[in-house]
Structure formats: structure tokens, C-alpha cells
Amino acid sequence: MIHYRTDSEIELLRKAALLVGKTLGEVGKHIRPGIRTIELDKIAEEFIRDHGAIPAFKGYEGFPGSLCISVNDAVVHGIPGNYELRDGDIVSVDCGTILDGYVGDSAYTFTVGEVSEEIKLFLQRSKESLYKGIEQAVSGNRIGDIGYAIQSYVEQFGYGVVRELVGHGVGRKMHEDPQVPNYGKRGTGTKLSEGIVIAIEPMITFGKNDIIQERDGWTIKTKDRKPAAHFEHDVAVRNGKAEILSSFEWIEGNQ
Ligand code: MG
Ligand code: MG
């Protein structure tokens, strides 16, 4: 069932989403070679709780962290732990908050120290694919238009789009209808209309798009062990247009 949100609900969703953006900005300040991913998780959890919110991921289906931290060939759902970030790593940080009963959910892939030019380009293009998808989130378009835009943009560079994991509606629950695949055909799927709020989250692979799940039961990795990127925004269809509720300004202001 798809929920159509009122203006006041969208404002609450924006507050939760902006807190995610601020949390990711705070985490980003601490990303450097030598820091353990569990330390980043602690920083995020404290920051979220200090702002009167609950980390949405903590305990979600038993997930132990407040962040999903996925390094290099990990695509998504990495568990924070003792791994120390290294120069040249890329690290995807996915964060969720529940503030006043509404969920924010956003993700960003950071660089650690110096990364190669081809990886920088890969990250730029993966992020750009998110905005290509968002451009399509307007009244009258369909879910397939979003996936088509993301897929056709990244595949021209030889990158892959993960199929098994998708974006989603976001509201009082983290995962609501509709599903929002990062691939698809134009003009197919659910029609977008006023008040729909979705998390658009391309998961892009540098090599092939096949994935495997680690024995920890959570971490999703690329089968070919090549890097993957993940960028996510919460987007409301409002006044016929795509309105981004989350923000990377706290991340990119200090990178
Ligand atoms: Mg997320
Ligand atoms: Mg999500």
C-alpha cells in the first residue's frame, strides 16, 4: 500500500532526512586512514540520540549497528566493526533516523585518503546517476522511468546496476511501498503522484553486477570483488516536482 503524505508529514520526513544528512556530515569529518568503522558507528549513534532521534537501523531485523558501513567491494549492509580504514579505500555509509515517528534514510560513498582517478570518476558518475533518477521523480512519470534513467546513465560507462536490492517508499516505516529499482523500462510500474515519498538509492558496481552475501548474514559484496558505490536521497513528489528531502551539504562542505 502506498502512502500519500500531507505537507505536514513531508515536513516531518524532511526533518528526519536532514538529521541523516547532518549525521553523515559528522561521520565524514572522522573518515581517515586508521579509524575503525565501529568508531564511526558510535559517533553516529551519539549524534543521532543527542538530536532527539533514534538510529533506525539499530536492531532492524537484528542489525547490530546504527550505520551500514560498506568498504570497497562491499555494496551495502556492512556491519561496523574493527576494520581500520586505509588510504585508497572507498566507504559507503548508509544512515537512518527516526525523528518524531518519521524515518530519514540516506547514504553516501566517501573516499579515504587518496583514491585513484578511475575510482573518483566512478564515484562522481554513481552520484550523478542518483540525480538522473531523481529528475524522473515527478507527477505522471512511473517508477520504471527512475530506474531506466539510472541504469542507462551508468551502463554507458561499463558499470553495473545491482538488481537484488532496490529503493523504497519511506515514511513512518523505513521500507514502504513502492519498491524503486535502479534499473527498468520507461513508462512501466507505479505512477508517481503528489505526496509519494521514496528513497532512491543506486547501488553501482565498478565491474559486474553480481553480488554475494557474506557469512555474517548481512554484508553484500560484489562477486568479482571490484568496488561498489551507494548514494541515496529521500525524495518527495510535491507540486508535481521532485523535492529532495535529505542533503549532502554537510558532507560536501567538509570534504
Ligand atoms: Mg539507506
Ligand atoms: Mg534505503
PDB file of all heavy atoms in Angstrom, residues 57 94-95 105-107 168 201 230 232, ligand 1:
ATOM      1  N   PHE A  57      18.455   1.993  11.998  1.00  0.00           N
ATOM      2  CA  PHE A  57      18.990   0.678  11.612  1.00  0.00           C
ATOM      3  C   PHE A  57      19.227  -0.212  12.823  1.00  0.00           C
ATOM      4  O   PHE A  57      19.235  -1.429  12.701  1.00  0.00           O
ATOM      5  CB  PHE A  57      20.328   0.812  10.863  1.00  0.00           C
ATOM      6  CG  PHE A  57      20.243   1.554   9.547  1.00  0.00           C
ATOM      7  CD1 PHE A  57      21.402   1.814   8.827  1.00  0.00           C
ATOM      8  CD2 PHE A  57      19.030   1.985   9.021  1.00  0.00           C
ATOM      9  CE1 PHE A  57      21.349   2.492   7.608  1.00  0.00           C
ATOM     10  CE2 PHE A  57      18.965   2.663   7.812  1.00  0.00           C
ATOM     11  CZ  PHE A  57      20.133   2.918   7.102  1.00  0.00           C
ATOM     12  N   ASP A  94      25.606   4.286   5.097  1.00  0.00           N
ATOM     13  CA  ASP A  94      24.152   4.400   4.989  1.00  0.00           C
ATOM     14  C   ASP A  94      23.636   4.650   6.399  1.00  0.00           C
ATOM     15  O   ASP A  94      24.069   3.987   7.348  1.00  0.00           O
ATOM     16  CB  ASP A  94      23.597   3.093   4.413  1.00  0.00           C
ATOM     17  CG  ASP A  94      22.156   3.211   3.941  1.00  0.00           C
ATOM     18  OD1 ASP A  94      21.517   4.244   4.186  1.00  0.00           O
ATOM     19  OD2 ASP A  94      21.676   2.233   3.313  1.00  0.00           O
ATOM     20  N   CYS A  95      22.732   5.625   6.524  1.00  0.00           N
ATOM     21  CA  CYS A  95      22.268   6.030   7.854  1.00  0.00           C
ATOM     22  C   CYS A  95      20.756   6.231   7.842  1.00  0.00           C
ATOM     23  O   CYS A  95      20.205   6.740   6.861  1.00  0.00           O
ATOM     24  CB  CYS A  95      22.975   7.331   8.241  1.00  0.00           C
ATOM     25  SG  CYS A  95      22.501   8.005   9.841  1.00  0.00           S
ATOM     26  N   ASP A 105      16.449   8.404   5.571  1.00  0.00           N
ATOM     27  CA  ASP A 105      17.324   7.310   5.105  1.00  0.00           C
ATOM     28  C   ASP A 105      18.159   7.852   3.948  1.00  0.00           C
ATOM     29  O   ASP A 105      17.605   8.212   2.903  1.00  0.00           O
ATOM     30  CB  ASP A 105      16.416   6.154   4.640  1.00  0.00           C
ATOM     31  CG  ASP A 105      17.178   4.931   4.163  1.00  0.00           C
ATOM     32  OD1 ASP A 105      18.394   4.834   4.411  1.00  0.00           O
ATOM     33  OD2 ASP A 105      16.527   4.063   3.534  1.00  0.00           O
ATOM     34  N   SER A 106      19.473   7.928   4.161  1.00  0.00           N
ATOM     35  CA  SER A 106      20.318   8.492   3.111  1.00  0.00           C
ATOM     36  C   SER A 106      21.705   7.870   3.200  1.00  0.00           C
ATOM     37  O   SER A 106      22.131   7.430   4.274  1.00  0.00           O
ATOM     38  CB  SER A 106      20.387  10.016   3.284  1.00  0.00           C
ATOM     39  OG  SER A 106      21.231  10.627   2.343  1.00  0.00           O
ATOM     40  N   ALA A 107      22.398   7.823   2.079  1.00  0.00           N
ATOM     41  CA  ALA A 107      23.710   7.166   2.035  1.00  0.00           C
ATOM     42  C   ALA A 107      24.657   7.930   1.120  1.00  0.00           C
ATOM     43  O   ALA A 107      24.222   8.624   0.185  1.00  0.00           O
ATOM     44  CB  ALA A 107      23.555   5.726   1.540  1.00  0.00           C
ATOM     45  N   HIS A 168      12.928   2.407  -2.146  1.00  0.00           N
ATOM     46  CA  HIS A 168      11.660   2.077  -1.472  1.00  0.00           C
ATOM     47  C   HIS A 168      10.921   3.338  -1.050  1.00  0.00           C
ATOM     48  O   HIS A 168      11.537   4.401  -0.917  1.00  0.00           O
ATOM     49  CB  HIS A 168      11.989   1.246  -0.220  1.00  0.00           C
ATOM     50  CG  HIS A 168      13.081   1.866   0.624  1.00  0.00           C
ATOM     51  ND1 HIS A 168      12.823   2.749   1.633  1.00  0.00           N
ATOM     52  CD2 HIS A 168      14.430   1.769   0.551  1.00  0.00           C
ATOM     53  CE1 HIS A 168      13.976   3.152   2.157  1.00  0.00           C
ATOM     54  NE2 HIS A 168      14.975   2.589   1.518  1.00  0.00           N
ATOM     55  N   GLU A 201      18.086   4.994  -4.385  1.00  0.00           N
ATOM     56  CA  GLU A 201      19.413   4.617  -3.892  1.00  0.00           C
ATOM     57  C   GLU A 201      20.175   3.690  -4.833  1.00  0.00           C
ATOM     58  O   GLU A 201      20.292   2.500  -4.580  1.00  0.00           O
ATOM     59  CB  GLU A 201      19.317   4.008  -2.497  1.00  0.00           C
ATOM     60  CG  GLU A 201      18.319   2.886  -2.309  1.00  0.00           C
ATOM     61  CD  GLU A 201      18.384   2.326  -0.873  1.00  0.00           C
ATOM     62  OE1 GLU A 201      19.491   2.095  -0.364  1.00  0.00           O
ATOM     63  OE2 GLU A 201      17.315   2.124  -0.279  1.00  0.00           O
ATOM     64  N   HIS A 230      27.328   3.601  -3.434  1.00  0.00           N
ATOM     65  CA  HIS A 230      25.924   3.687  -2.992  1.00  0.00           C
ATOM     66  C   HIS A 230      25.627   5.128  -2.580  1.00  0.00           C
ATOM     67  O   HIS A 230      26.300   5.659  -1.688  1.00  0.00           O
ATOM     68  CB  HIS A 230      25.731   2.737  -1.799  1.00  0.00           C
ATOM     69  CG  HIS A 230      24.332   2.685  -1.271  1.00  0.00           C
ATOM     70  ND1 HIS A 230      24.062   2.443   0.065  1.00  0.00           N
ATOM     71  CD2 HIS A 230      23.126   2.824  -1.878  1.00  0.00           C
ATOM     72  CE1 HIS A 230      22.743   2.434   0.243  1.00  0.00           C
ATOM     73  NE2 HIS A 230      22.163   2.665  -0.915  1.00  0.00           N
ATOM     74  N   GLU A 232      22.213   7.715  -1.770  1.00  0.00           N
ATOM     75  CA  GLU A 232      20.762   7.649  -1.517  1.00  0.00           C
ATOM     76  C   GLU A 232      20.218   8.987  -1.016  1.00  0.00           C
ATOM     77  O   GLU A 232      20.804   9.607  -0.129  1.00  0.00           O
ATOM     78  CB  GLU A 232      20.481   6.582  -0.444  1.00  0.00           C
ATOM     79  CG  GLU A 232      19.017   6.446  -0.050  1.00  0.00           C
ATOM     80  CD  GLU A 232      18.787   5.351   0.995  1.00  0.00           C
ATOM     81  OE1 GLU A 232      19.733   5.006   1.725  1.00  0.00           O
ATOM     82  OE2 GLU A 232      17.641   4.863   1.077  1.00  0.00           O
TER      83      GLU A 232
HETATM   84 MG    MG B   1      19.704   3.742   3.308  1.00  0.00          MG
END
